[in-house]
Amino acid sequence: MTTATTPRAPSRPGVFARTAGWAHRRRWLALGLWLAVLVGVWAAASATGDDYREDYSLPGTESQEAADLLAAHGSAQAGDTLDIVLARDAGIEDPATRERVEAMLAEVAGLPAVTQVRSPYEDASAVSEDAGVGYATVVLDVPSEQMELADTERIFEAATGAEGDGLRVELGGDAARVLAEEEGGGAEGLGIMAALVILVLLFGTVIAAGLPIITALFAVGSTIGLIVLLSHVFTIADYTPYTMMLVGLGVGIDYALLSFARYRQELVNGSPPAEATTRAMDAAGRTVFFAGCTVILALLGLVALGLGSLQGLALSVALTVLVTMIASLTLLPALLGVFGARFARQFTARAAKRAARGKAPEGTLWRRLGTAVQRRPLAALVTAVVLLGALAAPALSLRLGFADAGNDAAGSTSREAYDLLSEGFGPGFNGPLVVVTDGGDAGARQAAGAATEALNGTPGIQAATPPVPTEDGEVATVFAFPASSPQDEATSDLVAELRDEVLPALSAETGADYLVGGATAATEDYAGKVAERMPLFIAIVVGLSVLLLMAVFRSVLIPLKAALLNLLSIGAALGAMTLVFQEGMFGVEAGPIEAFLPVMIFAIVFGLSMDYEIFLVSRIHEEWERTKDASLAVREGLAHTGSVITAAGAIMIVVFAAFLASPDRMLQQMGFGMAVAIFVDAVIIRCLIVPAAMQLMGRRAWWLPSPLARALPRVRLERGQES
């Protein structure tokens, strides 16, 4: 068995060792500073409150142009609405029911945030053919995402006050969907408890297990408070803190675990606590730093997509990773300074007892696994790649979209309203297409009338309304109701047909410009924009990551291998998401994958996968530098990191999987996809494919052409390596 450390330390400690040494010596000062940051940030955040808001504008798309045109001409259709849905088996038009409903609508009209209420009795099209379902339209004075929950609750309470005598009342619309949401704070709690159990099993003591969790909680707590303050300056969506917790807890525990595992090893090898801290951070700290930089780099690549709703989320999560990385390099050494003497006694005593009982040294199982893979590297590689390729295959049929009220919890008022409107007016009623007519040889109203006739004769459209002109008469709007639901693939095809064939032909006849807008069309535009810019995003993230790894490992093949394997794990995750959430496997409500999730998961998982790649390969590189034996280096690298990578992966998986308990479909999809990706990466790729690939590459794994070696900066990763 080879030793875990390099025999000779550098003459001058690196920056990570010096930082850890300072934090260890000034442990109470370091802890006090972190506590002051946490308390100070939250004091400021509590005083100012948050200003979360969303930006789903899509500059350069047809749906955005349609919305801007309506807003410019003062159309009421540019605003947001709620639907008060009425249902009664005996019909809603009898005098007693009508009197009760109209009294309720008059009460709603006087509530805050309401500018107008349109009664179903004033518009025959607002009542179903059998009169069993009808709806009143409540026009709001704010966008749905800015609607105060208290105002929505007042409308809901006033509306449901009319129920009785067989009359059901439900509230539909985007602003009503928040009534279906529940507090999701239990998900992260479940993840933390599961992580604590894994850490106790790994380290044997609750105190040792608690340090990585404490480090993560300090980092995530401080960052979320900071994001509350930054929400007044930048556009940050209200679901961002949950995503930050999802990523921050996993990454924070992960980074602290990698460093703490190295610290334990140094103690067992005989180093005193202070020296063990600096030596561990000088080695593992570098791994954490470069791994964190890779995650941040991948997240900042999302800015290249130019999507406002993603940029704030990407910057927030990148900041979370940065703070967790800093906490792992400063807060953890301070905590080790507090408990170092206890850990030295516990870990060395446990190692001595293990040796006295004649148990195999730690890492023996992983050394045997590495040996088994090295005997049949090609078979192991092909088997694993075929398995992951099969899991990734469903991602080829991935459909992007956004969850609507049809995906809300059964029994919620928004879901009930959605179902009633679908039942009474057809499945496409909940996602009308807004056809905006601008100009025309005979005026906008005449051209829009021609559009109504053309749309009513188009297969796939159940009905189209008469034109509704703006006050200045220059623009008119027609609502077209598809025969299919908003999330149906047939609706996507219909939008494409209208834009590419039906409306261009009509425009040639009338001289008007036709634009297809509305929420359903905007979803198609968003998905198209993501698909259009995805290649640039992937090229930026993969290219920069490969260059970084080339500089770190002085190799061409290892970075290329890492990029390809990371893409494979991400593909497997997207394939699994497609099967479960899009196809409805395991009884999950079927629907499209949230449009921004593939790029977000790509950025996060690509960066996190590099964590394990750097941690494993850096240890292999350390053994390679020491022995120059490629096969031995692979076995020893796996022996020293296998248990830590598996434990770190297990913690990530339980933290991410805990978000399946969240009521939010987006968080469910993200948690599931990232849990699958980490499982694939930590178990199949790092413990099977990487050893097989490294064995097949042999000494060639460390080949770097001389011109490239001179061009790349030389980055010191392990102790004693030249800079």
Side-chain angles (χ1 to χ4, degrees), residues 286-297:
R286 298 174 192 279
T287 301
V288 168
F289 176 75
F290 288 115
C293 288
T294 307
V295 180
I296 293 170
L297 193 67

Side-chain angles (χ1 to χ4, degrees), residues 155-320:
I155 296 173
F156 176 69
E157 291 170 3
T160 54
E163 289 184 326
D165 190 27
L167 177 67
R168 288 176 56 194
V169 181
E170 305 290 352
L171 192 64
D174 287 340
R177 296 188 63 198
V178 297
L179 299 176
E181 297 176 359
E182 304 169 8
E183 293 296 325
E188 52 269 27
L190 289 173
I192 291 173
M193 290 303 299
L196 181 61
V197 171
I198 295 171
L199 288 169
V200 169
L201 293 175
L202 180 65
F203 294 124
T205 71
V206 175
I207 294 177
L211 295 195
I213 293 178
I214 292 172
T215 304
L217 289 176
F218 262 85
V220 174
S222 300
T223 312
I224 291 178
L226 184 58
I227 290 301
V228 171
L229 298 174
L230 292 178
S231 67
H232 294 272
V233 181
F234 301 102
T235 301
I236 298 175
D238 57 0
Y239 55 78
T240 299
Y242 296 105
T243 307
M244 291 168 61
M245 280 188 281
L246 175 71
V247 178
L249 288 176
V251 172
I253 296 173
D254 207 29
Y255 288 172
L257 171 61
L258 298 183
S259 301
F260 189 78
R262 187 66 181 245
Y263 168 76
R264 182 186 65 165
Q265 199 168 60
E266 296 289 350
L267 288 178
V268 171
N269 288 340
S271 299
E275 182 181 343
T277 300
T278 56
R279 290 173 68 86
M281 300 310 299
D282 198 28
R286 298 174 192 279
T287 301
V288 168
F289 176 75
F290 288 115
C293 288
T294 307
V295 180
I296 293 170
L297 193 67
L299 286 164
L300 294 181
L302 288 172
V303 177
L305 291 174
L307 300 174
S309 56
L310 270 183
Q311 290 175 343
L313 179 61
L315 291 172
S316 299
V317 178
L319 183 61
T320 304

Side-chain angles (χ1 to χ4, degrees), residues 82 84 100-120 122 136-141 147 151-152 154-160 171:
L82 285 169
I84 297 177
R100 196 162 68 251
V101 168
E102 288 185 333
M104 175 267 291
L105 295 179
E107 180 183 354
V108 170
L111 294 176
V114 177
T115 61
Q116 180 186 359
V117 175
R118 293 196 287 268
S119 170
E122 299 171 359
T137 302
V138 180
V139 181
L140 306 175
D141 62 3
M147 181 76 167
D151 291 338
T152 305
R154 290 189 190 97
I155 296 173
F156 176 69
E157 291 170 3
T160 54
L171 192 64

Side-chain angles (χ1 to χ4, degrees), residues 485-538:
S485 67
Q487 296 182 0
D488 198 304
E489 192 171 1
T491 305
S492 301
D493 296 337
L494 176 63
V495 172
E497 182 183 357
L498 293 180
R499 287 174 168 175
D500 298 339
E501 300 175 16
V502 176
L503 295 177
L506 187 62
S507 180
E509 297 177 8
T510 64
D513 293 326
Y514 296 98
L515 301 171
V516 180
T520 302
T523 297
E524 297 300 314
D525 289 339
Y526 193 101
K529 186 70 73 175
V530 170
E532 174 190 332
R533 299 184 182 180
M534 189 75 165
L536 174 63
F537 165 67
I538 293 176

Side-chain angles (χ1 to χ4, degrees), residues 412-435:
S412 62
T413 189
S414 55
R415 175 64 180 271
E416 293 297 313
Y418 181 99
D419 292 341
L420 286 172
L421 290 174
S422 296
E423 177 186 334
F425 300 94
F429 186 84
N430 287 288
L433 303 177
V434 181
V435 179

